[in-house]
Amino acid sequence: MTAHILVVDDEPAIGSLIKEILEDEGFQVSIAENGQAARQLQRELRPDLILLDIWMPDIDGITLLKEWRGSGLIDHPIIIMSGHGNIETAVEATRLGAYDFIEKPLSTSKMLITINRALEMASLQRENSGLRKHTVTEPLGHSPIMTALREQVKRINQHNTSVLISGESGSGRTLFARYIHQNSQIYTGPFVQMRVAGMSSDNQFTELFGRHESNHMARLEQANGGTLFIKDIADMDDAVQARLLNSLENQSFLPNGSTELIPLKVRVIAATGHHIEQALTAGRLQEDLYYYLNIIPLHIPPLREHCEDIPELLEFYVNLFVNQENLPYRHFTVAAQNRLRNYSWPGNVRELKNLVQRLLILGNNHQIDVEEIEQTLTPSSRPTPMGNLSIYDLPLREAREQFERTYLEHQLQEVGGNVSKVASRVGLERTHLYRKLRALDIDPKQSSKNKK
């Protein structure tokens, strides 16, 4: 969908030039030459972004910005522009809710970069708003362990301090990160996730700090005003860790290739599956960054330590897949539930979720008994997606995802979790494979552990 931009400028020549440039870039553009026209067009057109000049004949841009932001009726980004700008004006504009401030004479490249970043940020915020409506409101389970963890999150959220989450793969670190954000004082801000494992140091720099010349928006900037969740923090390159710490302490960062600092107001939640003491001793996690992040530690225990929650988890995921993926409803017998309560769950809650999905897809009976559980828990007898015709009853997208997940998990098991070897075996470029694994929520390290 083409973004609609409203340009508010009292100089017709400048307005026409901006309109021509933006239309060449594929945007839809409208022009207002004064504050009154700007108000009217904003109400009628509901633009996706406003470029707002400070000096106009009937009202200045700062006053108009205050009016729009104070009304609460518009939430799209506003970029201030002025030929008389200074640092005080820029600070005042951003304090009042402007996305950014650009000076005249306008640099075409900077203007386009700022507009694209602002639109990307707005899109991300809308996406997060939608996710908040459809995600689990809180971690499941009424065991003493889970009850205590939820109470701990309440205490954590009395302050917007950094949090370091530890726990085994699949135990629910991402869920708790989202739960912390959704119940924090900045819940209306974006929640941005960055998964570090498997990324090269160059890609880590680009993802975290962006790349000015290619208009690659930094994760730090995307998360401004909200939460940045960094998964696998101990797998982050030492130089990236040092630069991240510097940015957090100075509350600003410099995008790669840029000379302009971007103010930073972000809460960081970091997670690791490594034992923290071992990660520090081995130098995987830098001490200075650890002390910055570990203001409030949160340890998520493995599923085997709160197995009394398993019946509730089973019921939840059965209903989830029935309602969201139209899979047939199946009921776990008491014997089947008891068997699963006594299983070690090396893959934790993620393994339980995948097991439920597999049983619903491949099973034929209404009941899931203990014999079927035993077969499913035995790797040699686990049915492959193509080994049972029920996969052909699925929509193409779901069937393809099931096959790809099982296929790639098998390949990772065969090579001990080595992603480079899998890329060579299956004929995929390594970067594309990493993206595929993240999309399918496959942890290479966990897949290598599952090989018996």
Side-chain angles (χ1 to χ4, degrees):
M1 183 176 178
T2 303
H4 191 162
I5 297 176
L6 174 61
V7 178
V8 184
D9 197 302
D10 65 327
E11 298 183 57
I14 293 179
S16 297
L17 177 61
I18 294 174
K19 185 175 189 292
E20 182 179 347
I21 292 170
L22 295 179
E23 286 181 341
D24 285 342
E25 294 295 320
F27 296 110
Q28 184 179 352
V29 183
S30 298
I31 298 178
E33 294 185 0
N34 53 55
Q36 182 178 353
R39 290 189 184 103
Q40 182 177 349
L41 288 175
Q42 190 280 322
R43 287 193 299 267
E44 293 175 356
L45 302 177
R46 299 293 179 182
D48 299 295
L49 180 143
I50 297 176
L51 279 174
L52 178 61
D53 190 26
I54 285 184
W55 303 110
M56 290 181 292
D58 56 343
I59 186 172
D60 66 272
I62 295 295
T63 301
L64 198 53
L65 173 66
K66 289 179 181 178
E67 176 183 314
W68 279 336
R69 286 298 185 226
S71 69
L73 297 177
I74 65 172
D75 58 0
H76 44 257
I78 299 174
I79 298 172
I80 293 289
M81 55 183 181
S82 173
H84 312 282
N86 50 44
I87 294 300
E88 289 75 22
T89 308
V91 171
E92 176 68 1
T94 53
R95 185 185 69 79
L96 292 171
Y99 172 78
D100 205 349
F101 176 98
I102 53 179
E103 292 185 2
K104 294 179 180 178
L106 298 174
S107 162
T108 300
S109 60
K110 179 175 181 179
M111 179 179 69
L112 293 175
I113 286 172
T114 305
I115 287 173
N116 282 312
R117 284 178 171 172
L119 291 171
E120 186 175 348
M121 173 71 78
S123 175
L124 186 70
Q125 289 174 340
R126 287 193 298 270
E127 180 181 343
N128 273 278
S129 177
L131 285 173
R132 281 193 292 272
K133 298 176 183 177
H134 298 94
T135 53
V136 182
T137 56
E138 65 179 35
L140 299 171
H142 289 82
S143 62
I145 285 178
M146 295 304 294
T147 301
L149 280 174
R150 286 191 291 269
E151 288 299 318
Q152 189 175 351
V153 169
K154 289 182 182 179
R155 293 193 296 272
I156 286 172
N157 275 335
Q158 293 176 6
H159 311 279
N160 286 324
T161 52
S162 301
V163 182
L164 181 59
I165 302 176
S166 60
E168 295 180 6
S169 177
S171 59
R173 292 167 297 171
T174 301
L175 173 61
F176 266 94
R178 287 190 178 277
Y179 179 56
I180 291 171
H181 172 75
Q182 290 169 357
N183 291 275
S184 70
Q185 301 169 25
I186 53 174
Y187 71 95
T188 58
F191 177 88
V192 178
Q193 181 174 337
M194 177 179 175
R195 185 170 184 173
V196 177
M199 290 178 114
S200 67
S201 59
D202 286 344
N203 285 341
Q204 290 175 22
F205 270 114
T206 300
E207 285 293 310
L208 194 57
F209 300 103
R211 191 166 297 282
H212 180 73
E213 62 272 16
S214 64
N215 195 29
H216 186 102
M217 192 176 186
R219 300 281 183 154
L220 281 171
E221 187 175 0
Q222 293 177 19
N224 236 338
T227 300
L228 175 64
F229 174 49
I230 304 177
K231 200 170 182 180
D232 314 309
I233 187 69
D235 293 312
M236 183 176 280
D237 182 81
D238 290 352
V240 183
Q241 289 189 38
R243 186 169 167 186
L244 171 63
L245 176 62
N246 180 266
S247 298
L248 295 175
E249 288 181 333
N250 293 316
Q251 297 185 13
S252 64
F253 77 100
L254 192 66
N256 295 313
S258 176
T259 58
E260 296 185 20
L261 285 171
I262 294 179
L264 189 62
K265 186 178 181 181
V266 63
R267 180 188 199 177
V268 173
I269 301 177
T272 179
H274 296 281
H275 291 288
I276 293 178
E277 294 78 9
Q278 295 177 6
L280 288 168
T281 302
R284 299 180 65 101
L285 183 59
Q286 300 301 301
E287 284 191 3
D288 289 345
L289 181 59
Y290 163 73
Y291 290 128
Y292 183 93
L293 297 175
N294 197 45
I295 297 174
I296 303 179
L298 183 69
H299 177 70
I300 312 301
L303 181 56
R304 60 184 173 274
E305 292 184 9
H306 56 106
C307 57
E308 60 267 48
D309 292 323
I310 286 174
E312 183 178 344
L313 289 166
L314 292 173
E315 181 181 6
F316 171 80
Y317 284 116
V318 166
N319 291 326
L320 177 73
F321 291 124
V322 168
N323 293 326
Q324 291 191 0
E325 300 189 12
N326 295 318
L327 294 180
Y329 179 84
R330 304 189 69 201
H331 171 70
F332 286 84
T333 65
V334 174
Q337 293 183 44
N338 288 336
R339 174 64 182 94
L340 293 175
R341 288 182 62 169
N342 290 286
Y343 177 57
S344 61
W345 297 108
N348 292 294
V349 178
R350 182 188 295 125
E351 183 182 2
L352 181 145
K353 176 183 176 182
N354 291 342
L355 178 138
V356 171
Q357 187 179 30
R358 186 183 306 120
L359 288 169
L360 296 186
I361 290 172
L362 300 179
N364 296 313
N365 300 323
H366 178 72
Q367 280 200 152
I368 301 172
D369 56 25
V370 69
E371 288 78 13
E372 187 174 357
I373 292 295
E374 292 294 353
Q375 292 179 0
T376 306
L377 295 178
T378 305
S380 60
S381 61
R382 286 179 183 170
T384 63
M386 301 306 294
N388 191 306
L389 291 180
S390 64
I391 196 169
Y392 296 114
D393 297 327
L394 295 173
L396 176 61
R397 179 183 60 82
E398 294 176 14
R400 183 173 61 245
E401 287 182 0
Q402 287 298 318
F403 172 77
E404 287 181 342
R405 182 180 291 108
T406 306
Y407 175 76
L408 291 174
E409 285 178 342
H410 169 77
Q411 295 294 338
L412 286 164
Q413 289 176 11
E414 290 298 307
V415 297
N418 189 309
V419 177
S420 296
K421 289 183 180 179
V422 171
S424 178
R425 283 167 66 106
V426 305
L428 278 179
E429 197 273 325
R430 188 168 58 179
T431 303
H432 178 67
L433 178 57
Y434 278 126
R435 286 198 297 267
K436 175 67 70 175
L437 293 176
R438 286 198 293 271
L440 295 171
D441 198 23
I442 296 174
D443 186 339
K445 296 177 182 177
Q446 187 60 45
S447 295
S448 67
K449 292 178 184 178
N450 288 341
K451 186 176 182 180
K452 303 295 181 181

